[in-house]
Every structure is written in structure tokens, then in C-alpha cells.
């Protein structure tokens, strides 16, 4: 009686094509965190078969895991060069996104030792203040080109801080800063937009876009209807239905108390499955399209729903996440974003992939 997570690979491919059609450059796929929880082992080869030539992950180990599945694609590690592991990148043709002079020196040392031109992406920080070279540090690099000798500069990239809010003036500021940086490296290809950035217009287009969330159905334009196809559905069968009288409390801490004779359906899904405890009494599942409110607290392995207004029976499935109530909607209910909903999706779900 476990929950089933269904992932529509056809919708995934449709989303990648939709994003690719928005700009003249190439379109990578960001598949970090196991493709935002959907399973990089299925997502990456599916997108490669559809024509995607570039993949980004966060960790070297994520890159190594997908390398055999996308043998002809470029794979880059956003978190950079893992200390002491340069040889692993070279052996598997994996590109580090270099974000500091120290990393650059280590990568260059590897290139010198091998007398090989190693592929490199340089990360310019234009406003995230997490990783990457500041514009001043990049100017130093430009003035001292020897620091790049032996490296093949594939892309100069940066990352947007507020792209999902087109009204935020910081977007244009980052675009200006990035243009000033790229002007110092004429002829070097650029990589700029994430999912939302692709919808901000030509100032945010570059040689390579790096969408993640929108591929998986998250709305890249939160102020307007979602242009992406839904990819993920989570359903779970009802274990039991309990008839309770007014005044009966349900679950831990008596967080919800019935005000009318009620039918309470219990599902084998809980916060240990990434069905966040913050959803307690804040969201609804669907039965035959009818909203059924979550009542009481989400517990570790079980959650309760009020199905009084339906004819749901034990064994019937409730939809916890689906086209009518997707990751973005659940995120609003939980006070988070759709990214956290997807990357939290549990390991205990039975996973079903709908082939392209
Ligand atoms: C995660 C990430 C992306 C993808 O962002 P989405 O908002 O999911 O499209 C792109 N670039 C960098 C540097 C990232 O960390």
C-alpha cells in the first residue's frame, strides 16, 4: 500500500523543447539533486535522446553517476573542482565550474601535468555572493592571461538572483554587470539564464541556458499561468477510513477536532517521505478531482484527510501532488518553494516513469 510517484518523461521532453525554443542559444539541463528529486538516471538519458547536449550537476559524484548514461554529452559541476579529485574530472571528461583563483590554479596544475587543454567554465559572480569570481578578480585574470594558460575556456557563466520576479531591477543590474565582464573575454561563449531567466527576454539570453525547475513542471513565471507541462503526480491509496463524531481529535497534539460526523482517510505517506510537516492542516489532496483537506498533523509515516464529502473507500487513491495541485501550489501551502517540494520527494515511493 505504498504511494506511487509517476513521472511523465514525455512532458519533461516537451518542457525542454519549449525552453529551447525561447532563445537562439543552446539549452542545457540542470539535473543536480537527482534531477530535482525526479531521478537523474532516467531524466538525463531521456533529455539526451531528445537532443540535449549539456548537463549541469552540483557535485562531482552526481556527474560520475550520469556519465555512462549520457556518454556524448558535456557534463559540468556547478560546485566546482572538488579538492584532490582533479583526476576524476579528467578521466570522465567532466568540466568544473571554476569559481576562485585557488580552484583555477589547481585545475591549471592538472592541465600542466598532463600537457592537455582541459575544459573550463569560469563562474562570474554578478550578485549572488556565493561562488564565483568578482568582476575585479576577473579583471585580474584578464590582465594576467597566464593564469588561464593550458585551459580551454568553454563558457563564462553567471547566475541570476531574482529571475522569477521580472519586476526586480536587480535582474537588469546583473545583466549589465555580466555584459561588462563578458566584454573583457571577447569570443568566449556565455551562459546566463536559469529557467525564469529565459522568460526575461533577449538581454538574458546567451550561448547556453541552464534551466532546471521549469523542466520538471515548476512555474518559471510565478505571476502568470504556468507555461510548463506538469511532470509529476503523487498518489497514495487509502489504508483505512475512520468514522468519527463531532469533538473527536485526529492525530498528534489533537491539532484538528471534528466539528461534524466525519470520515477520516489515512494514507501511508508522511514527513519521512518529504510530505512536509509544515503542510499539517494547510493543504488538500484530491479524490476524483474533489479537494479533500489534510486534517491534523502530518506524522512521520501517515497523514489523514477529511473525505466526508466524497464516496472514497479504502484502497481508493488520493492524489497528493498532480496537475490540479502541483509542486508550486503545495509549496504555497507549506510556506516554501516548489524546488524544496520536489527535492524532498521520498525514497519510499514506488516510482513509475511514463516513457516518451
Ligand atoms: C540550480 C541552478 C540553475 C537552475 O536553476 P532553475 O531555477 O532551477 O532553472 C542554474 N544555474 C545555477 C548556477 C544553479 O545553481
Amino acid at each position: 500500500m505504498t504511494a506511487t510517484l509517476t513521472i511523465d518523461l514525455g512532458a519533461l521532453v516537451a518542457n525542454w523543447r519549449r525552453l529551447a525554443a525561447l532563445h537562439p542559444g543552446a539549452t542545457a539541463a540542470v539535473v543536480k539533486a537527482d534531477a530535482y528529486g525526479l531521478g537523474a538516471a532516467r531524466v538525463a538519458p531521456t533529455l539526451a535522446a531528445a537532443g540535449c547536449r549539456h548537463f549541469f550537476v552540483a557535485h562531482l559524484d552526481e556527474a560520475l553517476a550520469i556519465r555512462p548514461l549520457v556518454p556524448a554529452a558535456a557534463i559540468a559541476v556547478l560546485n566546482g573542482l572538488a579538492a584532490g579529485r582533479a583526476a576524476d574530472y579528467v578521466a570522465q571528461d567532466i568540466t568544473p565550474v571554476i569559481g576562485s583563483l585557488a580552484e583555477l590554479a589547481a585545475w591549471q596544475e592538472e592541465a600542466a601535468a598532463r600537457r592537455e587543454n582541459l575544459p573550463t567554465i569560469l563562474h562570474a559572480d554578478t550578485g549572488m555572493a556565493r561562488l564565483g569570481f568578482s568582476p575585479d578578480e576577473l579583471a585580474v585574470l584578464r590582465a594576467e592571461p597566464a593564469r588561464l594558460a593550458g585551459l580551454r575556456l568553454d563558457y563564462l557563466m553567471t547566475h541570476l538572483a531574482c529571475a522569477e520576479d521580472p519586476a526586480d531591477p536587480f535582474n537588469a543590474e546583473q545583466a549589465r554587470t555580466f555584459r561588462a565582464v563578458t566584454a573583457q573575454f571577447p569570443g568566449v561563449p556565455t551562459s546566463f539564464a536559469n529557467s525564469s531567466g529565459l522568460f526575461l527576454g533577449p538581454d538574458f539570453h546567451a550561448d547556453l541556458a541552464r534551466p532546471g525547475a521549469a523542466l520538471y513542471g515548476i512555474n518559471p513565471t510565478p505571476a502568470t499561468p504556468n507555461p510548463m507541462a506538469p511532470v509529476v503526480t503523487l498518489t497514495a491509496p487509502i489504508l483505512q477510513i475512520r468514522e468519527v463524531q463531532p469533538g473527536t481529535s485526529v492525530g498528534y497534539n489533537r491539532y484538528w477536532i471534528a466539528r461534524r460526523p466525519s470520515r477520516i482517510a489515512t494514507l501511508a505517506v508522511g514527513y519521512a517521505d518529504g510530505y512536509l510537516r509544515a503542510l499539517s492542516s494547510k493543504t488538500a489532496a484530491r479524490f476524483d478531482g474533489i479537494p479533500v483537506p489534510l486534517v491534523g498533523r502530518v506524522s512521520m509515516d501517515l497523514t489523514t484527510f477529511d473525505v466526508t464529502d466524497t464516496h472514497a473507500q479504502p484502497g481508493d487513491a488520493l492524489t497528493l501532488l498532480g496537475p490540479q495541485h502541483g509542486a508550486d501550489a503545495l509549496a504555497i501551502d507549506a510556506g516554501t518553494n516548489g524546488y524544496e517540494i520536489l527535492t524532498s520527494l521520498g525514497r519510499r515511493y514506488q516510482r513509475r516513469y511514463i516513457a516518451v
Side-chain angles (χ1 to χ4, degrees), residues 15 36 164 195-196 213-232 276 279 282-283 320-342:
N15 286 342
Y36 292 46
E164 70 278 13
S195 299
S196 298
L215 294 172
Y216 312 115
I218 288 177
N219 188 354
T221 58
T224 57
N226 192 347
M228 313 315 297
V231 177
V232 181
L276 305 180
L279 291 167
K282 293 265 169 39
T283 191
L320 303 181
L321 185 60
Q324 292 177 309
H325 196 66
D328 292 307
L330 218 61
I332 289 168
D333 297 342
T336 180
N337 62 9
Y339 298 62
E340 190 178 28
I341 297 292
L342 291 187

Side-chain angles (χ1 to χ4, degrees), residues 148-209:
L148 290 166
L151 301 179
R152 190 187 80 215
L153 202 44
D154 287 348
Y155 291 98
L156 195 57
M157 71 158 249
T158 196
H159 190 42
L160 288 160
C162 317
E164 70 278 13
D165 180 6
D168 196 315
F170 200 58
N171 292 318
E173 193 175 323
Q174 284 194 270
R176 262 195 310 279
T177 308
F178 192 45
R179 267 197 303 277
V181 161
T182 56
Q184 297 171 18
F185 294 84
V188 177
T190 56
S191 177
F192 193 7
N194 64 341
S195 299
S196 298
L198 273 172
F199 291 83
L200 293 177
D203 284 355
F204 298 84
H205 296 166
D207 298 300
L208 182 66

Side-chain angles (χ1 to χ4, degrees), residues 3-265:
T4 303
L5 185 67
T6 304
I7 293 152
D8 184 342
L9 295 173
L12 170 81
V13 168
N15 286 342
W16 182 75
R17 294 210 167 106
R18 165 110 180 64
L19 296 168
L22 287 171
H23 68 130
T27 305
V30 179
V31 296
K32 62 194 180 190
D34 202 22
Y36 292 46
L38 275 58
R42 293 300 299 270
V43 165
T46 298
L47 291 175
C52 181
R53 318 295 306 139
H54 302 85
F55 293 89
F56 285 86
V57 293
H59 291 264
L60 172 60
D61 289 334
E62 294 177 325
L64 296 174
I66 61 165
R67 173 41 89 207
L69 307 174
V70 291
I75 305 177
V77 175
L78 290 166
N79 286 1
L81 185 62
R85 299 191 64 186
D88 294 332
Y89 290 74
V90 180
Q92 297 297 324
D93 192 18
I94 289 162
T95 304
V97 174
I98 297 290
S100 73
L101 287 171
E103 264 179 276
L104 183 66
W107 192 230
Q108 196 186 34
E109 197 177 310
E110 188 71 21
R114 293 170 183 272
R115 298 168 186 282
E116 262 180 68
N117 259 331
L118 295 181
T120 306
I121 297 178
L122 274 192
H123 186 172
D125 176 21
T126 58
M128 283 292 277
R130 300 188 306 189
L131 301 175
F133 292 87
S134 71
D136 287 351
E137 287 173 317
L138 282 170
V140 170
L141 270 192
R142 193 65 204 129
E144 299 171 22
R147 290 178 187 264
L148 290 166
L151 301 179
R152 190 187 80 215
L153 202 44
D154 287 348
Y155 291 98
L156 195 57
M157 71 158 249
T158 196
H159 190 42
L160 288 160
C162 317
E164 70 278 13
D165 180 6
D168 196 315
F170 200 58
N171 292 318
E173 193 175 323
Q174 284 194 270
R176 262 195 310 279
T177 308
F178 192 45
R179 267 197 303 277
V181 161
T182 56
Q184 297 171 18
F185 294 84
V188 177
T190 56
S191 177
F192 193 7
N194 64 341
S195 299
S196 298
L198 273 172
F199 291 83
L200 293 177
D203 284 355
F204 298 84
H205 296 166
D207 298 300
L208 182 66
R210 305 182 312 276
L215 294 172
Y216 312 115
I218 288 177
N219 188 354
T221 58
T224 57
N226 192 347
M228 313 315 297
V231 177
V232 181
T233 306
L234 175 64
T235 61
I238 297 170
L239 294 183
Q240 269 195 27
I241 293 185
R242 187 144 220 99
E243 313 256 353
V244 303
Q245 292 310 310
T248 305
S249 64
V250 173
Y252 285 118
N253 311 118
R254 312 190 68 200
Y255 198 59
W256 184 84
I257 295 177
R259 292 209 198 90
R260 58 173 180 167
S262 303
R263 300 198 319 132
I264 304 301

